[in-house]
Amino acid sequence: MDPLIQALGLVFDPYVLAVIAGSAVFGMFVGAMPGLTATMATALLVPVTFFMSPVPALGAIVTATAMAIFAGDIPAAMLRMPGTPASAAYTDESYAMTQKGQLNLNLGVNLVFSVAGGLVGVAVLIACAPILAEVAINFSSYEYFWLACLGLTCAVFMTNADPVKGFLSLFIGLLLATVGIDPAAGFPRFTFGDVDLMSGINFVPTLIGMFAVSELMRGAVTVDAAGRMVAQEVGNIFRGVGAVFRRYWFNFLRGSVLGTAIGALPGAGADIAAWISYAVSKRFSKEPEKFGTGHVEGIVDSTSANNSALGGAWIPALVFGIPGDSITAIVIGVLYMKGMNPGPTVFQENPQLIYAVFTIFVLANLIMLPLGWAAIKSARQILRVPKNLLLPVILLFCLVGSFAMTNSLYGVTLMLVMGLLGWFLEEHGIPVAPLILGLVLGEMLEQTFVQSMIKADGAAIEFFTRPIAGVLGVATILIWVVMVGRAVRRGMAPRAA
């Protein structure tokens, strides 16, 4: 119990609690502003966490992202504009429900089921992570190689985009990961004589550029666009929520479990969890014809799923050092920045840190209820902040943060270049998440492959001889075979006709 007591002491420190409270307000604001994603909120917090110890740094990120995912539901209900991509799956359903005069019930369901779904995700994280860490402690380079391959494969096939575009994004990320010193030979690669590039592509300015600057560029194009605010006043948002829970409790459990499972898949994340959960809800509903007309059933599934996915995404991040989504990719960068390598050893070396993360997750979901209520009550004022005032302030944070990471203009230049690249890719329908995962996992993939080939003396069969490595390898190859087979059948179908 010593690590748990130590963790509680770390979390309930006045400074840490103040950081959590401030991050909660920040996350609510960012999530409620259409277009300012939860990932962007996390990226903007990274420069601030640079000056914090690990517990408040992780507390800030956990709290802000949990709040932002929920807060994205508010403009979806009031403006038909999702605050974050995680709310996009049920935006039309939510707005249609509002137009039927059910704004209060709509927002109440979103809030209560977001809190409940988040707690389910945390419970699974607390139960599964230590057990998996016990298994992962025996992993060799073979297991980690296949784990990286499986993570990259899921990142490509779980995106909403065309898999070909997902592959393109992934390969760009893997290419960027090769910049710097070759881990095997110690020779500079693709540095073009630049000393800054010898350390590789700095992770934090890249993230800020890809997620924050690209969104700023997109927001600048539509700076004068405004949604139409609904005329209804916000009243008692909790009235009727109990009846909804009694009727759709199974939907809540299904959405929460599905969201946690999808969140644990590398590269999936809360937005994919919401889309899949909404589709499953409609597929198995007794009233599928009501979907799209303002039916609360789909909202229960989806809003439970996208919040539970947050806890699920931390499972591979903490246990294997592989990000479950773009947010945990940023978390891994923060952990490395603090000198703590995520993976099974962190459960042995810093158990108090793990218990602190669990505690913060529970705390963040509990304080979401009163803060979410306050955000809903003040939503009209929040949504009226003009973009032409907000965007320059965010850009200033991005510039300061990127400079702080490198103490040179290299960070600022890298941020701007990656912002342009991110904007260009997304404008052409190419997702950014596989690129980020390629950058994060590229070094692990290369190092474990080289180590394994040296140990195996070039014999490829050795990659399958260990039981866990064999299962992971076969699973990865089967996913490829199934997906390529489907693509071939789709390509041949028109000719057969």
Side-chain angles (χ1 to χ4, degrees), residues 177-313:
T178 62
V179 175
I181 303 295
D182 183 339
F187 192 80
R189 301 181 300 194
F190 308 118
T191 59
F192 307 103
D194 191 301
V195 176
D196 290 317
L197 288 175
M198 291 184 73
S199 61
I201 299 296
N202 193 286
F203 188 63
V204 174
T206 301
L207 281 170
I208 294 174
M210 285 281 175
F211 291 109
V213 175
S214 62
E215 281 295 339
L216 289 176
M217 295 173 67
R218 199 168 295 108
V221 174
T222 59
V223 72
D224 296 323
R228 183 183 173 188
M229 186 81 70
V230 295
Q232 295 172 60
E233 291 297 326
V234 178
N236 183 358
I237 63 170
F238 298 113
R239 183 182 298 148
V241 174
V244 171
F245 184 83
R246 285 191 295 273
R247 182 172 181 182
Y248 296 115
W249 62 270
F250 180 76
N251 297 72
F252 157 69
L253 290 176
R254 181 178 61 194
S256 299
V257 171
L258 192 59
T260 307
I262 293 168
L265 293 174
D271 49 340
I272 301 290
W275 281 106
I276 293 178
S277 189
Y278 183 82
V280 169
S281 180
K282 185 176 181 179
R283 171 67 180 80
F284 292 102
S285 173
K286 295 177 181 177
E287 304 170 309
E289 70 282 354
K290 290 187 178 180
F291 279 68
T293 65
H295 189 41
V296 74
E297 183 178 359
I299 296 174
V300 169
D301 273 272
S302 303
T303 200
S304 303
N306 61 14
N307 284 271
S308 63
L310 292 180

Side-chain angles (χ1 to χ4, degrees), residues 418-469:
M418 290 301 170
L420 283 169
L421 177 61
W423 174 80
F424 176 81
L425 291 176
E426 292 197 327
E427 286 297 303
H428 290 82
I430 300 171
V432 171
L435 186 153
I436 295 297
L437 285 169
L439 182 61
V440 171
L441 297 180
E443 186 177 355
M444 177 197 284
L445 185 73
E446 182 179 13
Q447 283 184 344
T448 54
F449 177 73
V450 171
Q451 290 170 4
S452 301
M453 288 298 286
I454 291 171
K455 288 192 290 188
D457 198 22
I461 191 65
E462 290 295 319
F463 281 77
F464 298 91
T465 53
R466 292 169 61 93
I468 297 176

